[in-house]
Amino acid sequence: MRFDILTLFPAMFSSPFEASILGKAVEKGLIEIRIVNIRDFTSDKHHVVDDTPYGGGQGMVMKVEPIARAIEWAKAESPSAWTIYLTPQGRSFNQERAEALSSKTHLILLCGRYEGVDERVREMFVDEEVSIGDYVLTGGELAAMVMVDTLSRLLPGVLGCDQSAEEDSFSESLLEYPQYTRPIDFRGQGVPEVLVSGNHEAIFQWRRKEALRRTVTRRPDLLAKANLSETDKRFIDEILQSEGTRTRGDGV
Ligand code: 4GX
């Protein structure tokens, strides 16, 4: 999968795509990331990328021409590339949307700054507007990184087989169960007995229950999509009776 990231701040991308899993995916040729500096597509002497808004008001707006040329350059080799503008006004990004987008072969991710881009960019060049969440960033760059990271780990070969994306909490619509590793005693706090019992069936049951417990107490909204067995439902009833809707460990 190819990502073209169009930005005024290319330096922001120097390390995130070099480290760890993403770095290896780039080395293996599983993903290709091109950082495109929008300023390189200006044609005036002073390389101006922004201007004051028509109608007045505070702040600056990103000009249409440099962005248009940058997108056309990125699309030159693959006219079917899908162009995304990162903005809080976009469609919510989540695991389901990530799975759908991971089948694209070429994404162009446009990162806006200031008060955003000239509306004609969206009308003429953008296929989809995406928001990574209901909060305001200083620009689209971190949002683009979130998308590249999330999409990359869904591609075949990017994760090792011991870190399969299919077993992720969100693909099952349940939160993950708690994990422990050595030491067996840390400052008097132990590890649930069952996990060191060697009883695989009991461990499986315990993990399922803890995943359900977490989901019920922290993200009950997720349960609507989960595929629950009769045993799961009985356990959820038990949790709701014993704890009410009291949440654990996440009080403010
Ligand atoms: N999910 N931002 C875009 C510039 C901007 C300002 C106003 C349109 C209107 C964001 C998010 C996000 C910050 C990227 C503002 N664009 N992007 N930028 N949340 O907060 O994607």
Side-chain angles (χ1 to χ4, degrees):
M1 186 170 195
R2 166 181 282 178
F3 299 95
D4 283 326
I5 301 177
L6 278 50
T7 174
L8 290 175
F9 295 93
M12 284 183 73
F13 295 90
S14 48
S15 59
F17 300 144
E18 283 160 25
S20 188
I21 293 171
L22 251 40
K24 289 198 191 82
V26 172
E27 276 174 33
K28 287 191 209 163
L30 298 171
I31 55 173
E32 185 186 352
I33 302 168
R34 298 193 301 191
I35 308 301
V36 181
N37 189 345
I38 296 167
R39 203 174 291 279
D40 292 344
F41 292 84
T42 51
S43 51
D44 62 309
K45 189 168 116 200
H46 294 107
H47 304 287
V48 175
V49 292
D50 59 347
D51 206 340
T52 52
Y54 276 119
Q58 49 129 43
M60 299 294 270
V61 175
M62 286 173 72
K63 290 169 68 61
V64 61
E65 303 103 309
I67 296 173
R69 277 193 217 100
I71 291 176
E72 282 162 351
W73 175 86
K75 278 196 161 187
E77 296 150 52
S78 48
S80 66
W82 189 251
T83 303
I84 291 174
Y85 177 53
L86 285 312
T87 165
Q89 299 156 27
R91 174 175 183 176
S92 297
F93 189 61
N94 54 29
Q95 201 63 31
E96 192 183 345
R97 194 63 204 132
E99 272 157 29
L101 287 170
S102 70
S103 65
K104 304 266 186 207
T105 54
H106 184 185
L107 290 186
I108 297 172
L109 303 178
L110 173 60
C111 306
R113 283 267 153 181
Y114 320 119
E115 306 308 312
V117 298
D118 186 304
E119 189 63 20
R120 291 165 292 186
V121 170
R122 308 161 99 143
E123 291 166 357
M124 299 168 73
F125 299 98
V126 170
D127 296 306
E128 178 176 353
E129 299 184 21
V130 169
S131 166
I132 65 157
D134 292 342
Y135 38 77
V136 183
L137 303 166
T138 57
E141 284 77 9
L142 285 166
M145 289 180 213
V146 167
M147 284 194 68
V148 171
D149 192 278
T150 307
L151 294 175
S152 296
R153 65 187 291 291
L154 293 176
L155 303 177
V158 171
L159 293 187
C161 44
D162 57 334
Q163 341 163 265
S164 150
E166 275 144 51
E167 286 173 26
D168 284 342
S169 58
F170 279 108
S171 47
E172 250 215 303
S173 289
L174 288 182
L175 299 180
E176 299 284 356
Y177 51 78
Q179 296 277 18
Y180 295 86
T181 187
R182 276 182 283 247
I184 191 86
D185 180 290
F186 178 69
R187 300 181 186 175
Q189 294 294 306
V191 169
E193 224 17 86
V194 62
L195 297 180
V196 290
S197 68
N199 181 341
H200 296 292
E201 179 56 26
I203 292 170
F204 178 85
Q205 297 289 347
W206 182 86
R207 286 181 164 168
R208 183 77 187 174
K209 281 188 169 186
E210 293 308 312
L212 289 164
R213 189 195 309 281
R214 288 216 154 156
T215 313
V216 172
T217 54
R218 300 181 186 195
R219 292 292 308 276
D221 59 300
L222 292 178
L223 287 172
K225 280 194 193 164
N227 193 356
L228 301 175
S229 70
E230 288 309 310
T231 318
D232 291 338
K233 288 177 193 161
R234 245 179 288 127
F235 185 65
I236 290 170
D237 287 341
E238 263 172 57
I239 298 169
L240 291 175
Q241 266 156 36
S242 65
E243 322 197 35
T245 46
R246 181 165 60 90
T247 54
R248 304 163 80 238
D250 52 3
V252 181

